[in-house]
Amino acid sequence: MPGQGRSPVLIIAAILTLLIGLALAVGGVWLITLGGSWYYLIAAIGFLLTGILLLARRPAALWVYALVVAGTLGWALWEVGLHWWPLAARGDVVFLIGFLLLTPWVTRNLADRRSTASDHRSEAVRPVSAFRGAGLPLTGILAIALAVAVASWFTDPTRIEGTAPGPRAEVPDDALGVPPGEWHAYGRTAYGQRYSPLNQITPANAAQLQEAWTYRTGDVRGRPGDPEETTFQVTPLKFGNRLFLCTPHQSIIALDDTTGREVWRYDPKIRGELALQHLTCRGLSCYRGNGAAAAAPVPAPAPTPLTTASPPLDLPVAASERPAADNCPTKLFMPTADGRLIALNPENGAVCTAFGGGTGQINLWANMPNVNPGAYYSTSPPAVAKNLIIVGGTVLDNVSTSEQSGVIRAFDVNTGALVWNWDSGRPDVTTPIAQGETYVPNSPNSWSISSVDEALGLIYIPVGNQPPDQWGGNRSANVDRFSSSVVALDIATGQLRWVFQTVHHDLWDYDVPSQPSLVDLTVGGQTVPALVQPTKQGELYVLDRRTGQPVLPVTEKPAPQGAAQGDRTAPTQPVSALSYDPPPLTERDMWGATMFDQLACRIAFKKLRYEGRYTPPSLQGTLVYPGNFGVFNWGSVAVDPERQIAFTTPTYIAFVSQLVPRQDDKTLYVQGENRPESSLPALNENFGAPFAVKLSAFTSALGVPCQAPPWGYVAAADLTTGKILWKHKNGTVRDASPIPLPFPMGVPNLGGPMMTAGGVAFLSGTIDYYVRAYDVSNGNQLWESRLPAGGQATPMTYTGADGRQYLLVVAGGHGSLGTKAGDYVIAYALPRT
């Protein structure tokens, strides 16, 4: 009978609402003191009153809680509208508690006592349920909340619908001398477009793609000494009937293009105990033996063989099990993690003995300052330009102010002799450096992929920053000129032709990570040779590649001021007419898996310094959005030269940057004193600078981003107008959440897209393990296939010896992203007819 004691469920519900109320009260008061929303304190009062009334077994508890639900629903709609994921974070706990309060174990123990008409001293007990008495208002408002939730499933305020134009220019299928069925460079051609003229796969048949073969390299991260960022990011090359790729631990492999059978493998025998932050190989470079001379080579000393390295590194001379080739008219080039550049014969994997003074390799540590094996190397394939192989490299990031040089060097493609060197720390002298001299220490480097226009005689190089990234008080004029820029150098001499800076006095690690894409655009009825440069901050700069002048307008806009002591900030920053820069974050953009971590994220947001993009790093802690993960990273974008559009994969993740004053050059302020002596370099310690930096993604205590999803999209942009044509959230949290639920939230991507003349684009780099195909015209997903590991690489496509178009995907995972490691090379094709 109702009223006979309190049920355990009623007591649990009362205690739960009281605890929630106390938590919301504490957090709500804290948020109000920071100038934030009053909702949480008001909701706390409602929860506390509900809990008290439940303990008293009063039906009024349900009336009070109905007001809590109604207020929460109204507040949520006011803040975010019909946007499911932000709504869910605000209402999930509130809705579930309301559902609990309507269960019979609670309602039948609430006594609704009323005086009778015949005897005012006696009372009647009126039953309470979800559909009777005090439970009815709560049932009604929960039903309304559920209807709103269902309606939000069918709306997406972030989605842009549209249609891309059809072909607007004619481009030869064998542009730049690359046969349509082959893939000769990281971006297929020296133009770096990631576009193939193949058209067997179309929107009409892409759903029929099926696995044709799988090859496993046997090379997976996890060996002793591997850094966290040991990654399988390669985009293979294809010419003849073979595919060529490299593995994280630097093996080079040739495969049969129709079966995936291994033809040969070369092990360069990388030395151990390297000071590596990254261990990867994004790809190889190919010299096809038909390059014209890049003008008469400047007289240069003989290549520096490893046995006479200056300074000595005692690097191994790699040996092949096959006889060394005397001549290699076609060459494969690979830079190694221990600082070598190796030339191989693609026919048999033998070293090209004419290269490097008979060793088949040259020493990239020659003339380098601050020798520290593993601290300088190239993770990206070098550029081949006429008869030169042009090499940049990465240096340790945010370890010290005494790193290696960011010099760009050009070597004779046949002999390995140094032809020129361009050092951003000493940019006017490009003649080969003399023996015994060293390049400028700590000058800005180029760790990404360059593009080449041999007709114009220019190479286009994306340039990074001088360490440290978040403090620039000691930067020279040359450093400030060339950091975070794209530079055009004369192929023959290395002389600077122009420079375009994407960030002035960069303090946010907005180095230029993406390969520039070269494309001829029709603008105002005229053909303009253009360069498209994606950036971490979301700008796509479209420049005249002859001069570096903007084709689409670039506006200098005022930037926040107030740098750390001893530093400065640029008064303005360049913003392109084609921009994926997201709107500035506000408190209402904060998110979480529950209302509690959302509240914590709101508090954290209010405690940080944030005045929009380019807010300077601070002792207080600065919110950096977009974060240094990048809207675009090394995967770049895909450019269709016929449609004159870009297929893009913008990602939005906020970071926190906090400066930590250094008292000396030895103490570990970020990683702690218990760091083993044999561990990798102390990332973000910035030895030699006045500040270390604590840098992390802006996440809740549960590890989910504090900003609301979507975090990742696919989108298309018109390169002639700067208009974003369509934009759709992309990817699920299936492989990033404790429960593998395929929620389509739009997730981060690391790895580039690829586009074809068949009107289909491909992407495998999302943090869920899928390769997907999209209709280029409207962005609709056409097909997906589950991958056995993370696909953080850029797919490519080719024609096999059997005449079929293949899609090739590498699934190897990424250490710092936490995606599953693997060693898979997977080919897909349409069914045989």
Side-chain angles (χ1 to χ4, degrees):
M1 178 178 178
Q4 300 300 313
R6 296 183 179 90
S7 77
V9 177
L10 176 66
I11 296 173
I12 291 171
I15 294 174
L16 191 59
T17 53
L18 289 171
L19 291 176
I20 291 173
L22 288 172
L24 293 179
V26 173
V29 169
W30 191 358
L31 182 60
I32 290 171
T33 63
L34 296 171
S37 172
W38 282 69
Y39 161 77
Y40 294 93
L41 180 58
I42 296 171
I45 295 171
F47 271 97
L48 291 171
L49 184 56
T50 299
I52 292 169
L53 291 171
L54 286 173
L55 288 177
R57 298 171 56 209
R58 300 295 299 272
L62 303 184
W63 278 97
V64 171
Y65 199 76
L67 293 175
V68 172
V69 177
T72 299
L73 179 61
W75 168 75
L77 288 171
W78 172 71
E79 282 210 324
V80 298
L82 287 174
H83 193 182
W84 162 246
W85 289 109
L87 280 176
R90 288 162 172 79
D92 50 5
V93 171
V94 174
F95 184 89
L96 291 175
I97 294 296
F99 182 79
L100 173 64
L101 297 185
L102 289 178
T103 60
W105 302 283
V106 174
T107 58
R108 68 187 179 189
N109 286 275
L110 297 177
D112 189 358
R113 303 178 183 277
R114 300 293 176 89
S115 298
T116 64
S118 59
D119 186 351
H120 292 285
R121 291 174 299 174
S122 64
E123 293 180 314
V125 179
R126 300 177 60 188
V128 176
S129 72
F131 302 101
R132 183 182 298 158
L136 189 58
L138 180 55
T139 298
I141 193 61
L142 287 178
I144 293 173
L146 182 60
V148 168
V150 171
S152 71
W153 297 346
F154 301 97
T155 62
D156 183 358
T158 68
R159 188 178 179 96
I160 298 174
E161 295 287 11
T163 303
R168 294 184 283 180
E170 293 185 8
V171 179
D173 285 350
D174 59 348
L176 304 182
V178 178
E182 298 195 350
W183 196 282
H184 287 193
Y186 178 81
R188 186 175 175 273
T189 72
Y191 274 18
Q193 294 173 344
R194 279 158 292 282
Y195 170 84
S196 169
L198 299 182
N199 58 13
Q200 284 186 16
I201 302 171
T202 68
N205 62 24
Q208 301 174 36
L209 283 168
Q210 58 189 26
E211 188 174 317
W213 54 260
T214 295
Y215 169 80
R216 301 192 65 176
T217 68
D219 186 342
V220 183
R221 73 170 182 257
R223 300 181 186 180
D226 280 359
E228 181 182 42
E229 288 205 10
T230 300
T231 58
F232 193 20
Q233 298 175 339
V234 67
T235 297
L237 305 183
K238 194 271 183 183
F239 50 89
N241 293 332
R242 291 182 184 174
L243 296 160
F244 303 93
L245 63 133
C246 50
T247 70
H249 294 92
Q250 318 278 276
S251 290
I252 306 170
I253 300 170
L255 303 177
D256 181 273
D257 67 3
T258 56
T259 66
R261 177 183 61 86
E262 183 178 308
V263 178
W264 56 256
R265 177 188 290 242
Y266 176 85
D267 180 3
K269 303 190 186 307
I270 304 299
R271 65 168 289 176
E273 298 183 357
L274 298 173
L276 296 170
Q277 289 177 342
H278 309 267
L279 182 57
T280 191
C281 178
R282 295 193 181 95
L284 306 168
S285 301
C286 168
Y287 173 70
R288 295 286 289 159
N290 55 358
V298 177
T304 307
L306 297 179
T307 53
T308 59
S310 175
L313 288 178
D314 192 27
L315 294 171
V317 176
S320 171
E321 295 179 358
R322 287 160 291 280
D326 294 326
N327 184 37
C328 299
T330 299
K331 296 180 180 67
L332 289 174
F333 290 97
M334 175 177 160
T336 67
D338 53 10
R340 292 175 283 159
L341 179 64
I342 299 175
L344 296 181
N345 188 332
E347 289 297 319
N348 54 18
V351 296
C352 300
T353 55
F355 185 81
T359 65
Q361 51 194 305
I362 56 176
N363 178 22
L364 297 178
W365 277 101
N367 302 97
M368 269 292 172
N370 302 322
V371 175
N372 182 14
Y376 171 85
Y377 56 103
S378 183
T379 59
S380 299
V384 174
K386 297 188 177 179
N387 66 344
L388 301 177
I389 181 79
I390 301 173
V391 187
T394 184
V395 300
L396 293 180
D397 206 11
N398 289 347
V399 171
S400 77
T401 59
S402 302
E403 299 302 329
Q404 296 71 44
S405 175
V407 62
I408 309 296
R409 286 172 285 185
F411 301 94
D412 185 284
V413 78
N414 291 309
T415 67
L418 181 63
V419 176
W420 54 258
N421 36 232
W422 182 80
D423 187 344
S424 58
R426 189 167 50 208
D428 298 327
V429 180
T430 64
T431 52
I433 194 169
Q435 290 189 0
E437 294 185 7
T438 58
Y439 298 110
V440 177
N442 224 41
S443 54
N445 65 309
S446 178
W447 58 267
S448 189
I449 306 103
S450 298
S451 298
V452 173
D453 186 335
E454 290 192 355
L456 290 177
L458 296 177
I459 178 171
Y460 305 93
I461 300 171
V463 180
N465 288 322
Q466 176 190 75
D469 291 315
Q470 285 79 24
W471 191 81
N474 292 336
R475 293 176 185 168
S476 67
N478 280 330
V479 168
D480 261 343
R481 181 186 180 192
F482 293 111
S483 289
S484 298
S485 67
V486 55
V487 300
L489 303 181
D490 186 284
I491 292 174
T493 65
Q495 288 291 323
L496 179 69
R497 290 293 175 257
W498 56 259
V499 56
F500 179 89
Q501 191 165 60
T502 66
V503 183
H504 307 318
H505 198 70
D506 184 4
L507 301 175
W508 304 273
D509 193 16
Y510 283 161
D511 54 343
V512 183
S514 302
Q515 180 184 23
S517 294
L518 312 184
V519 60
D520 294 341
L521 300 177
T522 303
V523 180
Q526 295 185 345
T527 300
V528 178
L531 175 148
V532 181
Q533 182 60 70
T535 62
K536 284 185 177 180
Q537 64 270 27
E539 307 300 313
L540 262 67
Y541 298 100
V542 182
L543 312 175
D544 187 321
R545 65 177 183 266
R546 298 168 295 189
T547 63
Q549 294 300 307
V551 174
L552 296 181
V554 174
T555 305
E556 291 286 341
K557 293 191 176 181
Q561 299 297 293
Q565 183 177 3
D567 206 347
R568 65 178 184 85
T569 52
T572 63
Q573 295 290 352
V575 176
S576 174
L578 176 47
S579 176
Y580 287 90
D581 178 31
L585 291 175
T586 65
E587 183 194 331
R588 67 179 59 188
D589 295 313
M590 296 302 101
W591 192 73
T594 68
M595 65 189 307
F596 307 112
D597 53 323
Q598 186 193 57
L599 172 58
C601 284
R602 287 176 180 253
I603 293 170
F605 175 79
K606 286 293 186 179
K607 290 171 63 179
L608 293 169
R609 181 181 178 187
Y610 180 63
E611 299 154 33
R613 190 168 68 167
Y614 303 119
T615 303
S618 61
L619 298 175
Q620 170 187 352
T622 291
L623 185 65
V624 182
Y625 184 67
N628 67 329
F629 183 87
V631 177
F632 302 107
N633 209 294
W634 52 263
S636 196
V637 300
V639 170
D640 185 331
E642 295 187 341
R643 294 182 186 235
Q644 304 193 357
I645 64 171
F647 181 92
T648 66
T649 60
T651 290
Y652 301 104
I653 295 292
F655 272 62
V656 175
S657 171
Q658 183 179 15
L659 298 177
V660 180
R662 296 197 61 85
Q663 303 301 320
D664 56 58
D665 288 340
K666 295 181 179 179
T667 303
L668 295 174
Y669 289 90
V670 177
Q671 296 194 356
E673 296 294 345
N674 293 326
R675 176 174 167 268
E677 291 185 5
S678 60
S679 64
L680 296 170
L683 186 65
N684 298 329
E685 291 291 350
N686 299 340
F687 298 112
F691 300 98
V693 61
K694 292 181 179 179
L695 186 67
S696 63
F698 184 38
T699 60
S700 74
L702 299 180
V704 300
C706 270
Q707 71 196 79
W711 306 297
Y713 300 84
V714 290
D718 189 325
L719 296 174
T720 67
T721 65
K723 179 183 179 182
I724 296 176
L725 301 168
W726 52 258
K727 180 181 175 185
H728 304 165
K729 65 184 179 184
N730 183 59
T732 73
V733 293
R734 171 172 177 170
D735 298 300
S737 60
I739 302 174
L741 298 174
F743 292 144
M745 298 179 69
V747 296
N749 161 79
L750 188 60
M754 180 267 292
M755 214 172 356
T756 70
V760 181
F762 297 94
L763 175 69
S764 66
T766 51
I767 60 172
D768 58 348
Y769 309 156
Y770 288 95
V771 55
R772 295 182 171 96
Y774 311 87
D775 188 327
V776 170
S777 295
N778 54 30
N780 291 340
Q781 183 176 311
L782 303 169
W783 166 83
E784 69 179 17
S785 181
R786 183 77 172 153
L787 297 175
Q792 280 67 60
T794 302
M796 53 86 75
T797 187
Y798 64 92
T799 301
D802 58 359
R804 292 199 293 170
Q805 180 183 351
Y806 287 84
L807 165 70
L808 197 73
V809 177
V810 167
H814 193 284
S816 59
L817 282 183
T819 52
K820 182 180 177 181
D823 61 345
Y824 300 87
V825 181
I826 307 172
Y828 302 86
L830 297 172
R832 296 181 186 273
T833 56

